[in-house]
Amino acid sequence: MTTPAPLKKDPMKAFRGIMAGTLILEVIVVALALPVIAKLHGGVTSLVGWVAFGFIAVFIAMCAFVRKPWAIPTVVGLHVLLIASWLLLPAMGVIGVIFGLVWAYLLWLRRDLLKRMAQGRLPAQQQQQESEQAPKSE
């Protein structure tokens, strides 16, 4: 059995971009909860407001660290905390549940991508193997 050909392009780089983009979408959605907090929970300077701003800041910061090996467990932990914020503001808990499901799907896709990379079944690997097997004409 031959080892899979190394990739010229890193598919995990594109996947890290998807993860960072999902974090930015999450920042936008949590920021959209700020008017609700301002209206119903004593303003954005209340405990609930500071919690929301904290999540926004941490999600933005995590965009810079999606490459690190500890990033995925950290994001999962943040979503557990976001779901737990249901006690402060149910809307934030709902956001946590929805994005928790999105991240569960992303992690499933990541696992599938890593499995295909290990087996050499990615299209980029197939094209590279075909070009190596083709006879070179001079």
Side-chain angles (χ1 to χ4, degrees):
M1 182 173 183
T2 62
T3 60
L7 292 174
K8 293 181 182 178
K9 296 179 182 177
D10 182 16
M12 291 308 293
K13 183 177 181 182
F15 193 78
R16 288 189 298 268
I18 292 170
M19 291 182 351
T22 303
L23 285 169
I24 292 299
L25 285 174
E26 201 159 355
V27 165
I28 293 168
V29 172
V30 172
L32 288 172
L34 290 175
V36 174
I37 293 169
K39 189 84 166 173
L40 301 177
H41 291 280
V44 291
T45 58
S46 65
L47 172 65
V48 180
W50 285 110
V51 168
F53 280 121
F55 277 117
I56 289 169
V58 172
F59 286 144
I60 290 172
M62 284 305 299
C63 289
F65 297 111
V66 291
R67 164 177 285 163
K68 304 291 183 186
W70 48 265
I72 291 177
T74 303
V75 168
V76 170
L78 286 169
H79 283 87
V80 169
L81 290 175
L82 191 61
I83 293 169
S85 72
W86 191 298
L87 300 172
L88 294 173
L89 180 66
M92 295 254 297
V94 171
I95 292 169
V97 169
I98 291 169
F99 275 100
L101 293 171
V102 169
W103 278 96
Y105 179 64
L106 286 177
L107 293 177
W108 180 80
L109 288 176
R110 180 181 183 270
R111 184 189 63 138
D112 186 55
L113 176 65
L114 291 172
K115 184 173 78 171
R116 288 175 185 233
M117 282 175 60
Q119 295 172 348
R121 293 182 12 213
L122 294 179
Q125 290 171 318
Q126 300 300 320
Q127 291 170 354
Q128 189 172 1
Q129 288 174 355
E130 289 172 5
S131 66
E132 289 174 359
Q133 292 174 357
K136 295 180 181 178
S137 60
E138 295 180 32

